[in-house]
Amino acid sequence: MSIDRSTLERGGIDFDEFLDRVLNNEAIARQVLSVFMSDGTLDELRGAVEREDVSSARQAAHKLKGMGGSLSAHAIAELAQAELDALHASDLDRAAEVCRELELSCARLKEAISQAL
Amino acid sequence: MVQWTTWLWMGELMEASRRTSFDFLDIVADDPRSLLICDDDVINRTILSNLFSDTFSITETQDGDECLMAVLSSPDAWAGILLDYQMERMDGLEVLRRLHRRGLTERIPVFLISAEATMEVVREAYQLGCMDVIEKPVVPFVVRRRVLSVAELFTARRRLSQTVLVQQNELIRRATEILKLNRGMIEALSQAIEFRNGESGAHVRRIHDITGILLRGTPLGDGLSEEDVEIISVAAIMHDVGKIAIPDAILGKPGKLTPEEFEIMKSHTVLGAQLLEDIPQLHSNDSYRYAVDIARHHHERWDGSGYPDGLRGDELSSWVQAVSIADVYDALRSERVYKPAYSREKALQMIVEGACGVFNPKLIETFNMVEPEVSLLYGTTRDGGLS
């Protein structure tokens, strides 16, 4: 069964670019999406921001940016970059705000992936 | 003779080229075919593995330590390393530094993969021998082309250097064979001339050895390297080549030579040097300049009473003096058509008394020093004298 393109696109994935990155191999695409589904980096980020642990927060934000890029989930990659910028500027209020936006985007993507697979 | 050696040479060349191309195929089979991926992000590892799984066998590592261990345990296995820059424990740059310290970035192409490498990071990476910095998220056709091009370059370079090594060894082997062939031909020519003299060929071999003993480890050989001594010893073999031009009747005459016959006999020195000068192929041989000097002057004496040029004292080179005394000692210790073989004591006494011409007193002293070693050459040879 092929992956449902429109559901993933609604979740924020640039489907063509993503499929191109895995050389149109759907098995690999599923594998990668499944990894994202069970990934706990967002929780790490939220915890670190709450603890005001900037260093751990940056690591988590960096990881999220990488995953967003790999999945061609551009909004997530951009928000993760905004989070890195806020952390770099030690603006923790802004970091908490961006973290909430990231949570919304990730939740929307996870919902879409669970429907698409 | 020339044709025969040319055929031999061409045959060897063809054989060598066959061997070389065979070795080249062997090397191709040994090319590294594994790609090492180091990234702490499983999604990125999966994507990169998938990009190269058709070309390489893939090994994934998830941190710098694991990556270093994989490289160090089999440094020749890797066609390339894809290294993530930002990892939680040891980052990619630190891995690169450690690979560089061990000279491994010269042998294995390393690609740094990063989403946010600054100019400073990129500069240091290149200084450490990193071949390319690739941006994340990766664009498949870009990363494939960049990695494969560099991996191919490294493989070609490795093959080329191994081929050069194989060919270099082949050249050294052939050069050694040519040297042996030259030496063999020099000995064959000199022995053939000695056979006409009614001798066995042992004389030229002993002159070679005595010259070596005299120049090695005595003041007579000061300033000569071990290689020089061997070159001079080979040159000494040719001291009597001029005898090829002396008629049998004179060369083999059992009694005393008439003054006219002696004049002809003496000409073997000049003729020998001339003969060597007339072989152009010999001129590039390391032994040549010594051989000409020795052939012409080995009958010169310290007091100027020798022939053909009446050189005296320090006008005689140390090698000419070495060969002269070796030649006289060997003639005295050996049986000839006109004399029996003399004992060590008698031979030395005759040299000291100047029965065969005057030698440099220091040379006689030196010869006395090494004579026990020289005398060992006579114990077992059939034409050697009693010791």
Side-chain angles (χ1 to χ4, degrees), chain A residues 52-78:
Chain A
E52 303 194 348
D53 177 352
V54 175
S55 162
S56 301
R58 280 169 78 163
Q59 271 180 11
H62 165 74
K63 220 169 154 189
L64 271 177
K65 182 186 163 190
M67 280 192 283
S70 294
L71 300 180
S72 293
H74 299 311
I76 290 176
E78 280 160 22

Side-chain angles (χ1 to χ4, degrees), chain A residues 18 20-23 25 28 31-32 35-36 44 59 62-63 65-67 69-71 81 84, chain B residues 40-44 46-47 50-52 84 86-88 115-116 136-141 144:
Chain A
F18 172 57
D20 188 41
R21 185 165 295 118
V22 294
L23 305 177
N25 183 330
I28 297 290
Q31 198 182 325
V32 166
V35 170
F36 181 74
E44 286 167 26
Q59 271 180 11
H62 165 74
K63 220 169 154 189
K65 182 186 163 190
M67 280 192 283
S70 294
L71 300 180
Q81 181 60 56
L84 283 170
Chain B
D40 59 356
D41 173 8
V42 62
I43 292 181
N44 212 38
T46 308
I47 288 171
N50 182 50
L51 277 182
F52 292 100
D84 185 31
Q86 277 190 306
M87 290 185 286
E88 281 186 19
E116 47 217 36
K136 271 203 296 198
V138 295
V139 180
F141 71 92
R144 262 186 75 86

Side-chain angles (χ1 to χ4, degrees), chain B residues 245-263:
Chain B
I246 307 300
D248 283 342
I250 297 175
L251 213 52
K253 186 174 175 179
K256 196 169 162 39
L257 299 177
T258 68
E260 294 78 18
E261 287 168 339
F262 189 49
E263 281 309 308

Side-chain angles (χ1 to χ4, degrees), chain A residues 92-112:
Chain A
L92 290 173
D93 291 341
R94 170 78 183 138
E97 190 185 324
V98 176
C99 185
R100 280 191 295 278
E101 287 180 50
L102 265 171
E103 283 181 72
L104 288 176
S105 285
C106 285
R108 194 155 57 97
L109 180 54
K110 284 188 178 177
E111 174 68 23

Side-chain angles (χ1 to χ4, degrees), chain B residues 2-20:
Chain B
V2 169
Q3 268 194 333
W4 178 76
T5 50
T6 308
W7 287 336
L8 184 79
W9 174 241
M10 284 175 63
E12 275 199 37
L13 263 185
M14 284 164 68
E15 177 57 28
S17 72
R18 256 202 307 280
R19 263 201 302 272
T20 305

